[in-house]
């Protein structure tokens, strides 16, 4: 049996929330999406809300029970491509929204398989009793430097340009999307989050709290910890739990 929830908070510094999220149930499954917007004025907020709205509508209208793994992959990529096109069009034709964009991490869990599509530096983690594993690779400048061996992961965490991302919805007409599938054992959790969480809360602490708390309390506690750590960004967390 699956359980899903999400929560977003403006944090302690920002004047408004440029993150957006949503979640829901499917026949024999569940889904969640987290977006972290960027752009001048209220562009980031509009970009993230547009992406979440577009993905939600398409998923609710087009998902069919019994879809194959390939069909789910095609549907998820299609939803993100369509969201990219809508944001790009708004950015091109609306005064004050030029250059806006948003990250996305989208998960659909059906029959114990987590289907994940993402662009940007919002992340997905698989949490079991014994481990926490990052399933997505950040599309960011510092991650490229880590990949090439020019930075260590520890140096990347404090690099002054760690927030520069290399992929985002709405910035270009064409978008590269990463997609992966992972089996979710009974008792495991899939956690999606914006970098407002991972920049302020250590993954070991996330794992510890996941073993101690039910999902609603876990979401609230993680957001509070990010605030306690500085809360300099919007904070968004979603969890899909494959209950024992």
């Amino acid at each position: 049996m699956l359980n899903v929830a999400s929560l977003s908070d403006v944090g302690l510094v920002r004047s408004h929330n440029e993150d957006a999220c949503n979640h829901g149930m499917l026949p024999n499954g569940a889904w969640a999406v987290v977006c972290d917007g960027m752009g001048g004025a209220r562009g980031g907020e509009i970009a993230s809300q547009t992406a979440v709205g577009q993905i939600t509508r398409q998923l609710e209208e087009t998902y069919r029970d019994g879809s194959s793994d390939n069909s789910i992959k095609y549907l998820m990529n299609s939803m993100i491509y369509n969201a990219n096109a809508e944001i790009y069009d708004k950015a091109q034709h609306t005064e004050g929204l030029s250059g806006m964009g948003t990250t996305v991490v989208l998960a659909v869990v059906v029959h114990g398989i987590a289907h994940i599509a993402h662009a940007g530096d919002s992340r997905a983690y698989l949490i079991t009793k014994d481990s926490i594993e990052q399933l997505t690779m950040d599309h960011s400048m510092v991650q490229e430097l880590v990949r090439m061996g020019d930075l260590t992961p520890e140096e990347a965490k404090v690099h002054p340009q760690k927030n520069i991302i290399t992929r985002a919805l709405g910035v270009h007409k064409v978008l590269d999307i990463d997609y992966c599938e992972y089996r979710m054992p009974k008792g495991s959790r899939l956690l999606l989050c914006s970098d407002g969480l991972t920049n302020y809360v250590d993954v070991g602490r996330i794992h510890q709290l996941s073993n101690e708390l039910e999902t609603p309390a876990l979401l609230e506690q993680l957001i509070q910890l990010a605030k306690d750590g500085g809360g300099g960004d919007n904070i968004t967390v979603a969890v899909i739990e494959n209950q024992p």
Side-chain angles (χ1 to χ4, degrees):
M1 180 178 174
L2 295 173
N3 177 45
V4 59
S6 61
L7 192 61
S8 188
D9 192 280
V10 71
L12 300 179
V13 174
R14 301 291 179 89
S15 61
H16 57 280
N17 196 345
E18 295 190 340
D19 286 2
C21 62
N22 202 2
H23 67 271
M25 298 301 296
L26 298 167
N28 298 305
W31 64 273
V33 60
V34 168
C35 292
D36 180 353
M38 61 184 190
R42 301 188 78 84
E45 188 174 2
I46 292 169
S48 63
Q49 290 177 355
T50 298
V52 168
Q54 174 76 257
I55 288 167
T56 299
R57 285 192 301 273
Q58 292 180 86
L59 192 54
E60 291 176 345
E61 291 172 2
T62 60
Y63 178 82
R64 296 291 178 267
D65 190 19
S67 295
S68 67
D69 290 344
N70 279 338
S71 294
I72 294 172
K73 176 182 179 180
Y74 177 83
L75 175 61
M76 292 173 71
N77 284 334
S78 177
M79 291 189 296
I80 294 174
Y81 288 141
N82 290 339
N84 179 72
E86 183 177 351
I87 298 165
Y88 181 81
D89 187 65
K90 283 185 179 180
Q92 297 301 306
H93 298 102
T94 308
E95 186 175 352
L97 297 183
S98 177
M100 74 173 178
T102 182
T103 70
V104 65
V105 56
L106 168 65
V108 173
V109 178
V110 180
H111 299 303
I113 301 295
H115 305 260
I116 302 162
H118 88 289
D121 62 356
S122 295
R123 295 178 178 176
Y125 290 89
L126 180 63
I127 306 174
T128 66
K129 183 177 181 296
D130 298 321
S131 67
I132 179 169
E133 178 186 2
Q134 184 177 334
L135 305 182
T136 54
M137 183 73 71
D138 292 353
H139 302 135
S140 67
M141 192 187 74
V142 294
Q143 183 58 52
E144 283 298 306
L145 294 174
V146 170
R147 187 180 62 81
M148 293 186 294
D150 294 333
L151 278 182
T152 67
E154 290 71 27
E155 290 169 336
K157 289 180 182 178
V158 296
H159 195 280
Q161 295 175 308
K162 66 180 180 180
N163 292 326
I164 297 178
I165 59 175
T166 54
R167 294 190 210 174
L169 278 68
V171 178
H172 302 290
K173 274 189 175 182
V174 178
L175 175 70
D176 286 333
I177 302 167
D178 281 1
Y179 172 88
C180 56
E181 296 176 15
Y182 288 88
R183 182 166 295 281
M184 281 188 69
K186 293 288 187 180
S188 66
R189 282 174 166 145
L190 183 67
L191 183 144
L192 312 181
C193 64
S194 63
D195 65 349
L197 177 70
T198 48
N199 283 342
Y200 295 96
V201 183
D202 182 76
V203 293
R205 186 73 170 124
I206 295 172
H207 183 231
Q208 176 191 351
L209 288 172
S210 180
N211 281 337
E212 296 173 355
L213 300 173
E214 297 297 322
T215 294
L218 175 64
L219 297 179
E220 292 180 2
Q221 186 62 34
L222 289 176
I223 285 177
Q224 187 57 53
L225 279 177
K227 288 181 175 180
D228 292 345
D233 201 352
N234 309 141
I235 312 147
T236 302
V237 192
V239 168
I240 301 175
E241 182 178 9
N242 191 6
Q243 297 174 323

